């Protein structure tokens, strides 16, 4: 709970008015990156992508950013605060889907020629969203929980090891659930294609996070310094 009290001032008639002060913390900025990345990924993931023999979706290059933000949140602010960010993302994704369907349902103007394309693209989002939400909730919770549990055992030491292990656990749960639900939507039909889809998604996302590990650790260190973090 915040210890800051509302600030008081007066209006031009001399009446007292109060405002709630904005706390100086990076947490809301990180939550914003975390949630917005997830929302954009939901839309991009509706497109199936084939790069040579590799099958994936249009969000493959962006979604790892959400896990990096999740790692920073879990490491710096703990499981409860990260779970709050996950819930915010879940609710915003539902709002996004509802908004899309209302827009699709509303009658198109006579001059608007993109109704069918609009509906075909965004009409897939709810099914992709189901896959995304299942993977997102399970994966992010697994990632945050694993990271926090390892931190409780190792203390502030072995950060890179904790980040890698939590990523492997979280990304596997995320990718498996997402692919199992989303595969029919993007045209994955055979067992071989499904295994390819899961493997590519898991290996790619995990590899990207490992490659970006120096960036993640530097961001974590910067956030801790910025928030005047003092380990017990």
């Amino acid at each position: 709970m915040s210890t800051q009290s509302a600030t008081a001032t007066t209006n031009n008639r001399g009446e007292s008015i109060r405002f709630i002060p904005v706390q100086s913390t990076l947490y809301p900025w990180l939550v914003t990156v975390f949630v917005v990345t997830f929302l954009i990924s939901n839309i991009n993931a509706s497109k199936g992508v084939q790069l040579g023999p590799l099958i994936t979706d249009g969000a493959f290059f962006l979604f790892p950013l959400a896990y990096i933000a999740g790692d920073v949140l879990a490491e710096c602010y703990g499981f409860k605060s990260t779970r709050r960010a996950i819930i915010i993302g879940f609710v915003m994704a539902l709002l996004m889907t509802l908004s899309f369907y209302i827009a699709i349902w509303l009658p198109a103007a006579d001059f608007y020629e993109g109704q069918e394309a609009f509906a075909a693209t965004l009409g897939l989002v709810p099914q992709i969203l189901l896959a995304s939400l299942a993977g997102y909730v399970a994966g992010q919770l697994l990632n945050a929980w694993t990271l926090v549990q390892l931190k409780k055992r190792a203390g502030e030491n072995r950060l890179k090891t904790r980040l890698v292990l939590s990523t492997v656990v979280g990304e596997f749960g995320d990718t498996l659930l997402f692919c199992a639900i989303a595969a029919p939507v993007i045209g994955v039909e055979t067992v071989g294609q499904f295994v390819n889809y899961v493997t590519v998604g898991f290996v790619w996302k995990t590899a990207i996070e490992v490659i970006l590990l120096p960036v993640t650790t530097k961001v974590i260190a910067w956030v801790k310094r910025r928030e005047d973090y003092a380990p017990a």
Side-chain angles (χ1 to χ4, degrees):
M1 181 178 293
S2 172
T3 57
Q4 291 182 281
S5 58
T7 58
T9 186
T10 57
N11 62 13
N12 55 7
R13 294 193 300 270
E15 299 169 337
S16 177
I17 55 176
R18 300 172 69 84
F19 298 100
I20 299 174
V22 176
Q23 297 186 62
S24 178
T25 175
L26 295 171
Y27 177 76
W29 294 96
L30 289 167
V31 172
T32 300
V33 172
F34 182 74
V35 172
V36 171
T37 302
F38 172 58
L39 296 181
I40 297 172
S41 296
N42 275 315
I43 301 172
N44 280 12
S46 64
K47 177 179 179 178
V49 173
Q50 185 162 357
L51 303 172
L54 306 179
I55 299 174
T56 183
D57 57 63
F60 76 95
F61 64 92
L62 179 63
F63 199 72
L65 179 59
Y67 265 84
I68 293 172
D71 283 340
V72 177
L73 285 169
E75 171 66 23
C76 297
Y77 299 97
F79 181 74
K80 184 180 294 185
S81 295
T82 307
R83 183 178 60 193
R84 183 183 304 129
I86 294 170
I87 293 172
I88 292 172
F90 177 89
V91 173
M92 291 300 100
L94 292 179
L95 175 61
M96 178 186 71
T97 305
L98 178 62
S99 299
F100 285 158
Y101 261 80
I102 291 175
I104 291 170
W105 171 77
L106 290 171
D110 292 338
F111 58 82
Y112 181 69
E113 300 178 355
Q115 175 65 18
E116 291 185 5
F118 183 84
T121 301
L122 299 182
L124 289 176
V125 170
Q127 195 163 346
I128 293 294
L129 179 66
L130 177 62
S132 294
L133 286 179
Y136 161 80
V137 172
Q140 290 288 359
L141 287 176
L142 283 170
N143 180 72
W145 183 85
T146 302
L147 183 58
V148 171
Q149 292 303 311
L150 290 173
K151 184 173 183 177
K152 288 180 178 179
R153 294 185 179 185
E156 299 291 327
N157 302 317
R158 304 177 68 181
L159 173 60
K160 291 183 178 179
T161 300
R162 290 189 277 116
L163 290 172
V164 171
L165 291 177
S166 63
T167 291
V168 169
V169 173
E171 289 289 12
F172 181 74
D174 183 340
T175 306
L176 183 61
L177 280 175
F178 177 84
C179 292
I181 299 172
V185 179
I186 67 168
V188 175
E189 298 176 347
T190 68
V191 174
Q193 288 177 332
F194 178 75
V195 172
N196 185 319
Y197 188 29
V198 173
T199 302
V200 170
F202 171 70
V203 171
W204 167 261
K205 293 173 184 177
T206 303
I208 286 297
E209 288 200 56
V210 172
I211 292 171
L212 294 177
L213 199 59
V215 176
T216 306
T217 55
K218 288 183 183 299
V219 172
I220 287 174
W222 178 76
V223 170
K224 287 181 176 180
R225 288 195 304 271
R226 173 65 174 72
E227 300 284 45
D228 196 22
Y229 175 86

